[in-house]
Amino acid sequence: CKDGAPMNFPRNPSLVCLESMKRDVCAIWRSSEPEIISWAKSVIERLDDSIVSDVFVLLSRSFLHSPSSAVKIAALDIASAAASLNPVQSFAFLPSMLGILSDLPNQTPEVISKVLCTLPKLASHKSNVPTLLRVVLPLLKNVQMFPTALRTLFLMWNHQPRLFSFVHEQIQKFSPSMPLESRLSAAMIIRDICSSDIDQIGRAHV
């Protein structure tokens, strides 16, 4: 308090709750890895409260930059849950995820796989789609990343129907000369397309 002035506390109960959770952030950062992971699981169960969501989303974004792969994966679980609950929240996670994908050599396979599994949830917000395409499409040119990237693109289409043209373009490249994993990935996606919408889209790939 400056010049001995009394400290002003928020009178709104929701703001009091918000302030107390912000103070808890420091305590969580000092916690051990198992404690943080346990906390992340409890966060997902409490994401139905908008005030709690704002603080938890902010905090989990910071954990995406943790040197611990286990903590990153726990934070990605929160990102996935938040994106499913409220597409608007998904936009907040995009910069952190792009940061992870821009540093692939220093990421574990588990983290990379988790990011690519989470990206389709972010496609639920249409404003994210152009950026997500700029990330995923180049990965399709990488032989090792192609199967996972193609599956990611397919799952993005589930959230944004207008993306089918991109999925279709990749499937059209299907060739017996492709590596086995790539052929299996393309075949599984053709199967899933036929199962989901045989009348409108699937017949072209049967």
Side-chain angles (χ1 to χ4, degrees):
C1 300
K2 187 175 181 181
D3 300 326
M7 182 178 292
N8 294 319
F9 291 97
R11 295 184 180 182
N12 186 316
S14 64
L15 292 179
V16 173
C17 179
L18 185 62
E19 291 300 318
S20 65
M21 285 187 290
K22 286 181 178 179
R23 289 195 295 271
D24 289 342
V25 169
C26 294
I28 295 170
W29 265 111
R30 292 194 295 267
S31 301
S32 65
E33 182 178 292
E35 288 173 330
I36 293 175
I37 294 173
S38 176
W39 166 83
K41 292 178 180 178
S42 70
V43 167
I44 295 173
E45 297 173 356
R46 301 172 64 187
L47 278 174
D48 59 339
D49 184 311
S50 60
I51 295 176
V52 175
S53 297
D54 290 341
V55 175
F56 286 160
V57 167
L58 176 64
L59 187 54
S60 59
R61 281 173 59 195
S62 63
F63 280 128
L64 285 172
H65 301 284
S66 169
S68 165
S69 295
V71 170
K72 283 182 182 176
I73 289 173
L76 287 166
D77 285 335
I78 297 175
S80 179
S84 297
L85 179 69
N86 185 346
V88 175
Q89 290 182 347
S90 66
F91 183 79
F93 292 98
L94 190 55
S96 296
M97 291 198 186
L98 296 183
I100 292 175
L101 290 175
S102 66
D103 191 31
L104 289 179
N106 295 318
Q107 308 296 336
T108 65
E110 293 79 11
V111 169
I112 295 172
S113 176
K114 193 70 174 181
V115 170
L116 291 175
C117 288
T118 306
L119 285 179
K121 298 286 185 67
L122 273 65
S124 59
H125 194 301
K126 63 181 181 180
S127 297
N128 289 343
V129 171
T131 302
L132 290 173
L133 286 175
R134 287 197 294 270
V135 172
V136 174
L137 293 180
L139 295 177
L140 292 165
K141 299 178 181 179
N142 184 316
V143 175
Q144 293 181 330
M145 294 295 297
F146 179 86
T148 305
L150 183 59
R151 170 59 57 174
T152 300
L153 185 62
F154 169 74
L155 294 175
M156 286 170 57
W157 165 57
N158 287 341
H159 291 277
Q160 293 290 342
R162 60 180 175 152
L163 292 179
F164 182 74
S165 60
F166 295 94
V167 179
H168 182 265
E169 180 183 355
Q170 296 303 319
I171 293 175
Q172 293 289 82
K173 298 177 181 179
F174 185 92
S175 166
S177 62
M178 295 170 65
L180 177 59
E181 288 189 5
S182 297
R183 283 182 282 152
L184 288 174
S185 177
M188 290 174 65
I189 287 174
I190 292 172
R191 177 203 64 190
D192 292 343
I193 291 173
C194 292
S195 299
S196 63
D197 204 347
I198 185 66
D199 290 331
Q200 295 184 23
I201 296 173
R203 293 188 186 280
H205 301 287
V206 174

